[in-house]
Amino acid sequence: MKYYSTNGKAPVADLRKAVVKGLAEDRGLYMPEVINKLPQQFFTDMPKMKFQDIAFNVASAFFGDDVDLDSLQDLVYDTLQFPCPVVKVKESIYSLELFHGPTLAFKDVGARFMARLLQYFLRRGGSVCGDGSVCGCGTATKSKSVNVLVATSGDTGSAVANGFLGVDGIHVYVLYPKGKVSPIQECQFTTLGKNITAIEVDGVFDDCQALVKSAFMDQELNEHMMLTSANSINVARFLPQAFYYFNAVAQLIALGHQPSDIVICVPSGNFGNICAALFGHQMGMPVKRFIAANNANDIFFNYLQTGQYNPKPSKQTLANAMDVGDPSNFARIINLYSENGKLSPEETHKRITSLISGATYSDEQIRETMRQCYKETGYILDPHGACGYRALEEQLKPGEIGVFCETAHPAKFKEKVDDILGIDVEIPERLAAFMKGQKQSVPMTKDFADFKAYLLKQ
């Protein structure tokens, strides 16, 4: 499989380069040249299949040309050591619980898979080269290890840090906005040590993301050390997230629901998660339509209404992991539905809005939804899942079945959830273990010159 850049000015890459490099040379995001359709027999069998077997079939369609199938099966099975169950919340509305992994967040799937895939390529022999390939050509950067840069507004940092913790030949730098992630989230990536370094940026998530992107484009830095990303800009991070959407559809069909009635609602920030669902749909995943649920950062919602994309500084909200003012994966969505620029902006917008609707909610609406859901059903929503749940409540049509992503365990936002619902959310044991560690972080300004100077010393 070859991968091209959404900006159209970089050379095509193989999977190895796309994963190791992360971002194309022209600052574009990598896209697969072909999205393989899965055979009809797979969809017939899917409701009776195990999660890991469903995921292996999907992974084979994405990555089977570049990773031998035995190794790919090992990668998938090692990644998915936990379930992603569909749980009924009320009539016609289900929660896709994505918080049963090591860091209790949906990003555990993509982060664990990417860590294992990157290690697979590094173990294949050779050195890491300046163009992102792994070979024996003699043009390796000074650093023999791969340095993963990841910007986080919450759960990405902990999922990536724990996915890569202790992996030989890889060092992770987690950039996060000072004071803008929950205390528990912060504990999950600042207390690990070993090959994980937390960078506390005096700014917002968009500043962290800008530092990461600027680092990839800086020639001096890339000659000094091999850099890659574990944000959803990396194809190995976001594509595996399609695994749990296929599995969710399989579970709903097994419960007797028709695929033509299924609506998937994804709380959305940087849009990697819904992007994975849309790629799954392109592969034939039987779903009626999608809803992208935003908090007050309503850039995509406004695009759906107007056809105009106007990024703006992010606003700090109750659903902090979605506080993104310029979502990176918007470029992938546009590229996908414009057929790599073949269709006009108007035609592209029409295709997108025929499949995806949007929603945007204030902090007060999120609180209201959490209280209402808990009172009526006893189900505890986190602030992000609340956006998805409310969007389904408001937009489901008669006969439709809605499933929303509950992207993180409510205990990760314990202070907020306890205050809003007047309860004492129990902290799972594996989450409590992170809170016993000592915080280790490097303070950083949002000035790229300072970040570059720091990395050059590493």
Side-chain angles (χ1 to χ4, degrees), residues 377-391:
T377 71
Y379 193 84
I380 302 172
L381 296 166
D382 90 291
H384 308 79
C387 294
Y389 175 81
R390 180 158 182 157

Side-chain angles (χ1 to χ4, degrees), residues 12 23 73 119 430 458:
V12 294
L23 198 66
Q73 186 172 47
Q119 189 175 48
R430 62 187 183 280
Q458 305 308 307

Side-chain angles (χ1 to χ4, degrees), residues 3 26 91 114 135 153 211 261 282 300 310 315 335-336 376:
Y3 293 79
D26 60 358
E91 197 61 37
M114 183 191 164
C135 65
S153 56
L211 289 175
D261 297 332
Q282 290 289 111
F300 186 75
N310 296 307
K315 302 172 186 174
N335 190 275
L336 183 64
E376 292 181 356

